[in-house]
Amino acid sequence: MDTARIAVVGAGVIGLSTAVCISKLVPGCSITVISDKFTPDTTSDVAAGMLIPHIYPDTPIHTLKRWFQDTFDHLYAIACSAEAADAGVHLVSGWEEVPFWADVVLGFRKMTEAELKKFPQHVFGQAFTTLKCETSAYLSWLEKRATAIM
């Protein structure tokens, strides 16, 4: 059987993540990443992100939650690994009202009175820990893995 040849368009977080995931799902395949820009010149290089999902009106909540759980689990494993600093993936805490993903993040709870005093304009709040991705570091980390499989 011939080796599967796969092209991935884009060299930002999504493109390189896709290339690395495909390499695991299709062992021995040949992957080419096609992009007009590579790190440090991608949009992802200047973005940073806290992992909080968005709601898309045509996508069922259970599907969004599954996608979020899969992404959280993947990034959490990186954050807990020896590669966390190189990958730029860390835990970060924040506050939010009770969303559909409250049971996915870590330690989602009602804020205490003492915590709320830090936010005098609010009378209620939620605290939780999620993941933060420093994309310039994450892209370099992903690029090393993508290059190793090509």
Side-chain angles (χ1 to χ4, degrees), residues 21-105:
C21 287
I22 289 171
S23 74
K24 293 176 184 174
L25 293 172
V26 187
C29 68
S30 171
I31 300 173
T32 302
V33 175
I34 302 166
S35 184
D36 62 337
K37 295 181 181 172
F38 289 83
T39 194
D41 300 314
T42 70
T43 300
S44 293
D45 281 291
V46 295
M50 275 183 55
L51 183 62
I52 298 175
H54 298 281
I55 294 177
Y56 299 99
D58 295 334
T59 305
I61 292 293
H62 70 277
T63 300
L64 295 172
K65 188 171 179 180
R66 187 181 76 243
W67 293 344
F68 182 60
Q69 183 73 63
D70 290 348
T71 302
F72 190 95
D73 292 346
H74 173 76
L75 291 173
Y76 185 69
I78 295 168
C80 292
S81 77
E83 297 179 287
D86 287 341
V89 179
H90 311 280
L91 291 168
V92 62
S93 296
W95 296 268
E96 178 71 40
E97 292 182 18
V98 181
F100 71 88
W101 44 265
D103 62 336
V104 175
V105 297

